[in-house]
Amino acid sequence: MEMRLNAASIWLLILSYGATIAQGERTRDKMYEPIGGASCFRRLNGTHQTGCSSTYSGSVGVLHLINVEADLEFLLSSPPSPPYAPMIPPHLFTRNNLMRLKEAGPKNISVVLLINRTNQMKQFSHELNCPNQYSGLNSTSETCDASNPAKNWNPWGTGLLHEDFPFPIYYIADLDQVTKLEKCFQDFNNHNYETHALRSLCAVEVKSFMSAAVNTEVCMRRTNFINNLGGSKYCDPLEGRNVYATLYPRKPAIENNLETVHTNEKFILVTCRLDTTTMFDGVGLGAMDSLMGFAVFTHVAYLLKQLLPPQSKDLHNVLFVTFNGESYDYIGSQRFVYDMEKLQFPTESTGTPPIAFDNIDFMLDIGTLDDISNIKLHALNGTTLAQQILERLNNYAKSPRYGFNLNIQSEMSAHLPPTSAQSFLRRDPNFNALILNARPTNKYYHSIYDDADNVDFTYANTSKDFTQLTEVNDFKSLNPDSLQMKVRNVSSIVAMALYQTITGKEYTGTKVANPLMADEFLYCFLQSADCPLFKAASYPGSQLTNLPPMRYISVLGGSQESSGYTYRLLGYLLSQLQPDIHRDNCTDLPLHYFAGFNNIGECRLTTQNYSHALSPAFLIDGYDWSSGMYSTWTESTWSQFSARIFLRPSNVHQVTTLSVGIVVLIISFCLVYIISSRSEVLFEDLPASNAASPRPTAC
């Protein structure tokens, strides 16, 4: 009986505990309401830290809506109940305003919320006026003059991406969430400002604590410290993968002699940038800043593959490379140059001989194409090669046969755009590097608003075969100023000029790039990866996400979606169909099995591969982190990103609650003392009910 009572007591306690937890969770849910969004985070280089961080337990601030710039004065001049969390629309998220909030310090400003109210926004770029200024050919004003908008490459840049803020910055894109915040502010905060300290106010808590601090040197030393028994990591190098492919399959290396360069093997190097970046984690498509160049690059590769005859000993090969991490001091191209110098590209695992700089005839780097119909050919020196390529480009651009109606100008000087070619020219200023780049017109460079709307993209969503080349007179019904047609025109011009350079013969055909492929390409990277082009370049039946791939370089173990999709895409577009090889035998590279346009499956001989996009600074023992020789960017580790709103009690309320608690504690101690000291009076010793009865006496 006693055991059953004990078991029942235990179950009763368990049920009571569970009910208490459930009640506590319901109470918490009533007190706090989560807010979805994206947080600014911390990056570091050899000399500085940039970005944002909350306090370890989270930063709390009272909501205050900023509608006009004058609203900031309330926060900057002795606010009544600090710290505050200003809600700022994009048109007021300027360098001047953010630096004023930074100077006010965490005492007055603990959180900044960027709300997605874009009706008055006219520009929004967080990058420097001169991106990658100190890691290119030279750091002088010849390449880029930050003080002269006519001589820099991002006139609308604020440089906020490279500032360090003592508070978290949280971006809220969902307009329903923004409305919820504004309503909370209107209901509880936006009246009787002089009594803020005397009543409960609507506040937000943001958790985005960053583990790293100071700079990359300090952070890596802490991470690599031999006595770090906990195995904690404070930061990781920015790291990704370059993707490359050759127009024709390469011959294998001589057995037992994998390090010998084939000097008679010649390449034209065609490159572009793969990545983009913003202030906020997981947000940003880089539509104009790098995707336009990437689109032209892809179409040039495919058009050349279709136009050129089969492999011939007399023809040059073409090496197509997309560089990752170029937004952060040319990580991908610096590593590519480093590997080529050491004859470590490609790796021995490919079974092909290394490629040296002597194997490269020239480089054509497709840069930022803001205004895709207004392009210049840049070169450091006005060489015969540069003049020859310019003439060929304009021959096709101006030809009435094709009706492209473009005029490609040239600039032969040290005023070079910030593209991957600078890594090659930094090693050797005499290297034959040509750059196709447009004049800067992107007011949203390296920002969350460089999206499909910024490039005026509208998906045509046709069911036609986008893998077929088209005749020059096809698609007359399409708007000639549409983005798809502009990509078609520029990529056709570049491919025709390269065709003539490779074959030595002028292109006289009528086949041009397919604007439907441009339509599908842009849809895949701007709206959804679950798209016909990615499906065709994937294994049959692959499940693809309905979100566009993230193109930030990330870190080891982070998302490498863009590299993966690019690997499949180049593999598919530059491959050779193998109709006689069955699916079961199409399993080992360089053979690859693709779904194809009709999703019936096809075996193809591919040439694509990966190379490392990790700065050489992290490979060299004893590297001088402040030398500026190589990129030194790292990313801080963090545990979580979260935001929630709640009613923060007034200071009076908090003091009253604390005082009542102290009084109750003192009274409790007094009662316990009194009861304990009078226990013999309050609690008499009574015999137990089951005590043994005294032995009966004799009658």
Side-chain angles (χ1 to χ4, degrees):
M1 182 66 178
E2 183 178 353
M3 293 181 62
R4 286 198 294 269
L5 287 172
N6 289 338
S9 300
I10 292 172
W11 278 109
L12 183 60
L13 287 172
I14 291 174
L15 291 173
S16 300
Y17 179 68
T20 302
I21 292 177
Q23 183 64 33
E25 290 178 351
R26 285 195 294 269
T27 303
R28 182 193 63 191
D29 292 340
K30 292 178 181 178
M31 290 175 58
Y32 297 98
E33 190 161 356
I35 297 294
S39 180
C40 167
F41 58 100
R42 179 168 290 165
R43 302 180 185 94
L44 309 95
N45 60 20
T47 56
H48 297 84
Q49 67 178 29
T50 66
C52 320
S53 175
S54 71
T55 60
Y56 183 77
S57 58
S59 298
V60 176
V62 175
L63 293 179
H64 188 74
L65 181 61
I66 307 298
N67 288 313
V68 294
E69 197 163 331
D71 290 339
L72 287 170
E73 301 303 325
F74 170 78
L75 303 178
L76 300 174
S77 56
S78 302
S81 187
Y84 281 83
M87 298 184 290
I88 306 178
H91 70 281
L92 295 175
F93 197 85
T94 63
R95 180 176 180 83
N96 180 58
N97 289 340
L98 266 292
M99 297 308 290
R100 292 177 69 195
L101 294 176
K102 178 180 177 179
E103 291 171 5
K107 181 179 178 181
N108 284 354
I109 307 298
S110 59
V111 179
V112 170
L113 301 179
L114 172 61
I115 57 175
N116 191 25
R117 296 291 191 194
T118 60
N119 53 310
Q120 298 185 57
M121 180 178 66
K122 296 181 180 179
Q123 61 189 60
F124 197 80
S125 174
H126 299 147
E127 188 52 88
L128 298 168
N129 296 122
C130 294
N132 292 345
Q133 182 174 9
Y134 301 103
S135 53
L137 178 63
N138 59 61
S139 59
T140 66
S141 58
E142 291 182 354
T143 302
C144 181
D145 186 357
S147 62
N148 184 358
K151 287 293 185 178
N152 66 53
W153 297 104
N154 185 29
W156 302 274
T158 63
L160 292 177
L161 188 61
H162 298 267
E163 289 291 338
D164 179 45
F165 294 97
F167 42 70
I169 302 177
Y170 202 74
Y171 169 58
I172 303 165
D174 190 330
L175 293 180
D176 289 337
Q177 301 269 29
V178 173
T179 301
K180 185 189 302 180
L181 290 169
E182 292 174 341
K183 184 177 186 305
C184 194
F185 164 74
Q186 296 293 347
D187 290 346
F188 297 97
N189 300 3
N190 193 27
H191 56 87
N192 299 330
Y193 284 90
E194 63 278 2
T195 64
H196 265 199
L198 304 177
R199 68 175 194 268
S200 296
L201 300 171
C202 186
V204 64
E205 177 192 65
V206 174
K207 290 184 177 180
S208 59
F209 177 71
M210 299 289 132
S211 304
V214 186
N215 55 42
T216 290
E217 180 180 9
V218 171
C219 183
M220 294 301 294
R221 184 170 65 242
R222 293 176 64 201
T223 296
N224 298 328
F225 188 50
I226 194 171
N227 290 326
N228 187 359
L229 300 178
S232 299
K233 295 182 71 175
Y234 298 98
C235 63
D236 296 290
L238 294 188
E239 179 177 359
R241 294 178 295 188
N242 301 324
V243 182
Y244 69 91
T246 54
L247 185 65
Y248 298 116
R250 298 183 65 206
K251 294 180 179 180
I254 301 173
E255 190 175 356
N256 300 324
N257 196 8
L258 296 176
E259 297 182 358
T260 300
V261 176
H262 291 184
T263 55
N264 61 338
E265 190 178 22
K266 297 297 181 182
F267 294 91
I268 295 173
L269 179 62
V270 180
T271 63
C272 76
R273 176 159 68 101
L274 178 61
D275 65 300
T276 186
T277 190
T278 71
M279 279 184 72
F280 302 96
D281 180 50
V283 185
L285 298 172
M288 190 179 288
D289 85 64
S290 62
L291 191 60
M292 289 301 98
F294 185 19
V296 170
F297 166 92
T298 304
H299 285 70
V300 167
Y302 186 62
L303 189 53
L304 279 177
K305 182 66 179 179
Q306 299 300 311
L307 295 181
L308 286 169
Q311 176 76 57
S312 170
K313 293 181 180 180
D314 299 328
L315 294 181
H316 281 47
N317 207 341
V318 182
L319 176 60
F320 297 98
V321 187
T322 60
F323 292 121
N324 206 350
E326 298 301 274
S327 305
Y328 289 93
D329 294 331
Y330 308 117
I331 293 174
S333 57
Q334 283 187 354
R335 178 61 183 271
F336 189 84
V337 170
Y338 179 85
D339 287 343
M340 284 187 67
E341 285 181 324
K342 295 185 173 297
L343 301 182
Q344 294 176 353
F345 174 82
T347 59
E348 291 186 3
S349 62
T350 63
T352 55
I355 298 176
F357 282 96
D358 291 339
N359 295 118
I360 307 296
D361 270 358
F362 70 91
M363 173 185 189
L364 180 62
D365 191 16
I366 301 174
T368 301
L369 304 180
D370 294 0
D371 183 357
I372 203 168
S373 59
N374 192 348
I375 299 175
K376 279 186 178 181
L377 182 70
H378 293 263
L380 184 59
N381 301 303
T383 62
T384 302
L385 172 68
Q387 190 60 37
Q388 185 182 64
I389 296 297
L390 179 65
E391 290 175 0
R392 289 172 180 170
L393 288 169
N394 275 316
N395 179 43
Y396 299 107
K398 298 177 181 179
S399 171
R401 178 188 183 91
Y402 301 108
F404 296 138
N405 298 322
L406 293 178
N407 179 25
I408 298 177
Q409 301 179 357
S410 65
E411 183 173 347
M412 311 298 171
S413 70
H415 183 232
L416 297 174
T419 71
S420 306
Q422 298 225 16
S423 295
F424 293 79
L425 292 169
R426 191 178 193 184
R427 172 192 171 269
D428 179 11
N430 295 317
F431 181 75
N432 284 327
L434 307 176
I435 304 170
L436 276 178
N437 208 85
R439 63 184 181 88
T441 60
N442 186 6
K443 298 180 180 181
Y444 304 95
Y445 183 79
H446 280 179
S447 87
I448 53 180
Y449 293 111
D450 190 4
D451 53 16
D453 292 336
N454 191 36
V455 292
D456 197 21
F457 170 68
T458 302
Y459 183 39
N461 193 20
T462 69
S463 58
K464 297 179 181 179
D465 188 354
F466 50 81
T467 64
Q468 301 297 316
L469 299 185
T470 61
E471 294 291 333
V472 66
N473 291 322
D474 289 346
F475 299 103
K476 285 187 175 180
S477 59
L478 286 182
N479 181 0
D481 293 327
S482 68
L483 189 62
Q484 293 90 329
M485 291 297 286
K486 289 180 178 180
V487 171
R488 184 204 78 153
N489 294 346
V490 173
S491 55
S492 298
I493 292 168
V494 175
M496 291 172 183
L498 290 176
Y499 174 94
Q500 184 174 349
T501 303
I502 293 169
T503 63
K505 301 176 182 178
E506 183 177 351
Y507 177 72
T508 57
T510 57
K511 295 290 186 181
V512 294
N514 192 338
L516 297 183
M517 180 179 283
D519 187 56
E520 297 297 342
F521 178 94
L522 295 170
Y523 175 74
C524 292
F525 279 99
L526 290 177
Q527 296 184 5
S528 173
D530 189 12
C531 58
L533 181 58
F534 282 177
K535 287 180 178 178
S538 300
Y539 193 80
S542 297
Q543 298 297 315
L544 305 179
T545 177
N546 60 358
L547 297 174
M550 188 179 76
R551 294 196 300 123
Y552 171 62
I553 182 175
S554 192
V555 297
L556 182 64
S559 173
Q560 297 293 333
E561 291 177 309
S562 60
S563 298
Y565 284 121
T566 303
Y567 175 88
R568 299 180 208 174
L569 196 56
L570 289 184
Y572 178 62
L573 297 179
L574 291 173
S575 58
Q576 297 177 2
L577 183 63
Q578 306 293 307
D580 298 329
I581 299 180
H582 190 265
R583 175 175 184 167
D584 295 339
N585 298 324
C586 189
T587 55
D588 297 327
L589 292 173
L591 295 177
H592 198 107
Y593 200 75
F594 296 98
F597 172 73
N598 295 316
N599 200 32
I600 58 176
E602 52 194 40
C603 185
R604 289 180 168 271
L605 178 65
T606 63
T607 64
Q608 87 284 10
N609 216 320
Y610 292 114
S611 72
H612 287 108
L614 172 67
S615 172
F618 299 98
L619 307 176
I620 301 172
D621 291 334
Y623 178 75
D624 181 2
W625 297 101
S626 59
S627 66
M629 183 68 182
Y630 294 114
S631 173
T632 56
W633 285 99
T634 55
E635 180 185 292
S636 175
T637 59
W638 62 79
S639 58
Q640 66 171 332
F641 285 153
S642 67
R644 57 185 184 176
I645 57 173
F646 64 101
L647 282 182
R648 193 194 75 176
S650 66
N651 293 334
V652 174
H653 188 174
Q654 295 181 63
V655 171
T656 302
T657 302
L658 178 62
S659 302
V660 170
I662 293 173
V663 170
V664 170
L665 179 65
I666 294 173
I667 292 174
S668 299
F669 274 118
C670 293
L671 286 175
V672 169
Y673 173 75
I674 293 171
I675 292 171
S676 177
S677 62
R678 299 290 188 271
S679 60
E680 69 281 356
V681 176
L682 299 174
F683 307 104
E684 296 181 7
D685 290 330
L686 298 175
S689 62
N690 60 350
S693 301
R695 185 175 297 177
T697 58
C699 296

